[in-house]
């Protein structure tokens, strides 16, 4: 009754890069704090052949404010994690996800009057 077919344009057996559960918990922890602060409202996750991307949006129908990328091929060079801004500029790159995400945590620190 039901028939399944492969997605057009891609091979069914090709591996994709994705975030591990521990990586997602670190990212979603930061995301939750930024949502509570009113800075972010939506996110999207993409798993591609060469990269996994966590995109952060202020509103749903716009370009992402930040992209958190995982590229395992860059592990031996600059580091597999990167935070990329809205304009495509690499804000921070490194081997440890928590240290790379510190560039975004600075947005949470505000002066209290």
């Amino acid at each position: 009754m039901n028939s399944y077919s492969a997605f057009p344009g891609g091979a069914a057996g090709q591996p994709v890069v994705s975030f591990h559960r521990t990586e997602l918990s670190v990212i979603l922890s930061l995301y939750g704090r930024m949502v509570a602060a009113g800075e972010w409202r939506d996110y999207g996750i993409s798993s591609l052949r060469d990269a996994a991307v966590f995109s952060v949006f202020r509103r749903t129908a716009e370009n992402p404010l930040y992209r958190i990328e995982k590229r395992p091929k860059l592990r031996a060079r600059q580091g597999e994690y990167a935070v990329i801004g809205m304009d495509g500029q690499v804000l921070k790159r490194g081997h440890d996800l928590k240290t790379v995400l510190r560039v975004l945590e600075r947005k949470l620190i505000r002066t209290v009057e």
Side-chain angles (χ1 to χ4, degrees), residues 24-43:
L24 272 178
S25 69
V26 171
I27 294 171
L28 290 174
S29 172
L30 172 65
Y31 176 78
R33 288 179 287 167
M34 294 299 268
V35 167
E39 296 290 324
W40 298 348
R41 292 195 181 169
D42 199 10
Y43 71 90

Side-chain angles (χ1 to χ4, degrees), residues 2-98:
N2 290 335
S3 64
Y4 297 102
S5 61
F7 188 74
Q14 287 188 349
V16 295
V17 177
S18 60
F19 289 106
H20 191 265
R21 177 178 284 183
T22 56
E23 295 166 337
L24 272 178
S25 69
V26 171
I27 294 171
L28 290 174
S29 172
L30 172 65
Y31 176 78
R33 288 179 287 167
M34 294 299 268
V35 167
E39 296 290 324
W40 298 348
R41 292 195 181 169
D42 199 10
Y43 71 90
I45 299 176
S46 301
S47 295
L48 309 171
R49 270 190 292 162
D50 58 340
V53 181
F54 187 94
S55 302
V56 177
F57 300 89
R58 181 171 290 142
R59 291 177 198 83
T60 305
E62 66 179 21
N63 293 332
L65 288 175
Y66 301 104
R67 292 189 329 254
I68 302 165
E69 293 187 357
K70 174 184 176 182
R71 294 187 180 270
K73 288 187 179 180
L74 296 177
R75 182 181 299 144
R77 295 183 192 142
Q78 301 123 343
E80 68 180 317
Y81 302 108
V83 174
I84 300 172
M86 183 186 304
D87 54 355
Q89 182 180 9
V90 178
L91 302 177
K92 182 89 172 168
R93 184 181 300 268
H95 298 284
D96 183 37
L97 182 61
K98 289 182 182 181

Side-chain angles (χ1 to χ4, degrees), residues 93-106:
R93 184 181 300 268
H95 298 284
D96 183 37
L97 182 61
K98 289 182 182 181
T99 58
V100 170
L101 292 179
R102 281 189 200 151
V103 72
L104 298 176
E105 288 181 2
R106 292 182 191 154

